[in-house]
Amino acid sequence: MGCAPSIHVSQSGVIYCRDSDESNSPHQTTTISQGAATLHGLFVKSDAADSIPAVLAYQSRQPPPCSGPRRREPRAPRCCGIEAETQTSSTSLKQASATEVQIGPMRLTQDPVQVLLIFAKEDNQSDGFWWACDRAGYRCNIARTPESALECFLDKHQEIIVIDHRNSRYFDAEDICRSIRATKPSEHTVILAVVPRTSADQEETSVLPLLNAGFDRRFTENSSITACYNELIQIEHGEVRSQFKLRACNAVFTALEHCQEAIEITSEDHVIQYVNPAFEQMMGYNKGELIGKELTELPKSDKNRADLTDTINACIKKGKEWQGVYYARRKSGDSIQQHVKITPVIGQGGKIRHFVSLKRLRSTNENNKQLCKSHRDENYSGDNSQSESHSFKCKNRRKDSTDVKSISSQSSDVFSLMAAPSLQNRRYSSMARIHSMTIEAPITKVINIINAAQENSPITVAEALDRVLEILRTTELYSPQLGAKDEDPHTSDLVGGLMTDGLRRLSGNEYVFSKNMNLSHSHLSVPNTVSDVPPCIAQLLDNEESWDFNIFELEAVTNKRPLVYLGFKVFGRFGVPEFLNCSEATLRAWLQLMEANYHSSNAYHNSTHAADVLHATAFFLGKERVKGSLDHLDEVAALIAATIHDVDHPGRTNSFLCNAGSELAVLYNDTAVLESHHTALAFQLTAKDSKCNIFKNIDRNHYRTLRQAIIDMVLATEMTKHFEHVNKFVNSINKPMTSEETSSHSEGTDCECTANMKNFPDNQTLIKRMMIKCADVANPCRPLELCIEWAGRISEEYFAQTDEEKRQGLPVVMPVFDRNTCSIPKSQISFIDYFITDMFDAWDAFAHLPVLMQHLANNYKHWKMLDELKCKSLRLPSENNN
């Protein structure tokens, strides 16, 4: 060493040293001597201990021996001479990195863990934890006295503290733990006690004294670096991660405390656990009078309907949100009218663990008088809310000059809990409610108009309107009302069979379909590349971009394997392999896997139907307005969704499966049973084998977005929400687009509505849903011969279901589909009238599909003609003979 080390003594008496030429000698040894004591790297106990640094942090140390017995050799660290600054070895600096942690909707970034070792002397155990920290990438400090330990902790706020509890000769470990626990920052710190080994003949000691002293864990003496490392890693991924999430909850409680809406949180048993200041102000109670009490213990207003409480409980106990108008009684005895929203919070085990209530004063003269009176009482009683009361009075005088935009913007703040500052103290503007809502359908406008009308209505009228709102909010507004059509059994049966989930369960009847996982196919080879397609198939596929493409010819020439060949061609045309970064071999294997899991024994729901839906989807994606509204990811998602949308379909409807008590119906709670199964199975099969996993090379964010889009589209093919999807599309896409087109034509400019569509992801979602729905039931819009073939196939599948329902004694969900009596033309007419016409009118208005609409008109005439001639088959008898 060319230069002598420099010595620094801090005001607290801590001695630091540093080699003056340390930048040139990365492995020099620093030694501090005092009397008989010599410090090598860490420290030793001596009579001159007060002269030895109490807190040390290191930049580099010689690594421990890789194998063989450990020897107590002098270490060669560099003593870090920077007070109140933690430094780690260069190795750990490379390893240490921030970690992303998700808690609910919050995304947090956790810094590298900091560890404080409190050991009075250097030994193998302290070395073990040091090197474990180095390996884990933790920042580590070492303290040897209680005072320096506390000082270091208050400066650094380490997440993990390790205290030597093996020998009380140097310090009392439990006293150190208590002194640290007495500080506020220790609330989220994990403290570990290192205890001596016990011999085999000694009884295991209790951990209770350690827990009572404030320790969280006990570590039996073990100087193995791996043992220390494992312990620290477990603490990081367990207690430290949990404490980090709890610490983040302080932000949520800060939002709650400053929120202007009254918030109340109760347990599943309706015991009050939390109320915010706004709630205290509204109800006149303080926290101490409420927390821990059951809601039933609080006085109730006699102005509510007798059955309202039962209605609310029945709703929220099912996990559904309830909102409406409720009368509450303040501490003073006055009744006030509130807008209340109660949301169940699902916790561990999928059970309801809490109820969160948001309460807002309704704007009535009576409420305003009581609120003013409460403010006057608070002022006269010398309460500290004088400034708030004055603010209230000022705002109340200016209530007619409300800034609607500011109210609506503030109402969308943290967790939707923030509202305009004066919402509790003055009239809640109906215009603010309208601005803060997303208007998707006419029903939303109706609710807003009723809300506005309520504000100045007599109490009897307001209560009647409350009942109207309750009905509007809880009734399925998009459910069909047949009207004059309900006399048509074909329409009634189609609605019953396609738009319900059965729910008429007969005990003892179970239907479990067998999955044909290994379908046998002919020896026809599958293409390795597009150029490997057999000529006869390639010639057919040359016309695949045409709407009149004959899928049944492809079915025949491929021996009922059209999905692989058409999928290979379509996916290549849309650049799917490039987007997914997967090879053609992987794509081919995936298409084979999906097609193998369609049931070729089904008359209708087989791989030919999947190929037909894929073809229709690709055709729609080629239309200019559709293409201009969607991104490449949307196109890829749509093509994949079309491919998998009916995989492993059993050839039976959801109603049948629910009535039969099938395993799938039980698994998916009688809700979108088949659609949920199609998506779940497709992703399971894809992930199971790397050779077939087309998603394996895309990054996680793209995969999650793509997966969500695929799931959403497949679920949209479920018919129970058919009218909801169509009406949302009409109100959110068709009507605004018509308005923009009219405006743009009057101004002589081109319509920019298509270009703007990409700026609204919700609209893109509606377009994708509508697209796959139309592709799924496009049979009536195909050329007549194709339309007739599809009609025969779906009828045969429904006939087979009716036959099986009768055999098993199950409810017959579509009685008209009896093969001996059914009129296929009537069923097609009903299907077109009730499901197809309006949907394709809306889709045509957006995508411009004149060819499809012409086919639909021609096919409808065909079925009408057969029906008028009392013909129940697909064609006239003379045509059948030909």
Side-chain angles (χ1 to χ4, degrees), residues 694-712:
I694 57 175
F695 306 119
K696 61 185 176 182
N697 292 329
I698 61 175
D699 67 70
R700 181 177 300 176
N701 289 335
H702 271 102
Y703 173 73
R704 288 177 64 86
T705 305
L706 186 66
R707 170 176 157 80
Q708 191 56 50
I710 294 167
I711 293 172
D712 184 83

Side-chain angles (χ1 to χ4, degrees), residues 547-548 779-785 787-788 828-829 832 837 850-866 874 879:
W547 179 253
D548 293 344
N779 308 334
C781 299
R782 293 290 188 180
L784 179 60
E785 287 305 308
C787 172
I788 291 173
Q828 287 296 305
I829 291 169
I832 293 172
T837 301
V851 175
L852 278 74
M853 303 310 290
Q854 185 60 52
H855 284 317
L856 177 60
N858 293 339
N859 296 338
Y860 190 78
K861 288 179 182 178
H862 170 78
W863 299 122
K864 272 290 190 181
M865 178 191 68
L866 293 178
L874 297 167
E879 293 176 332

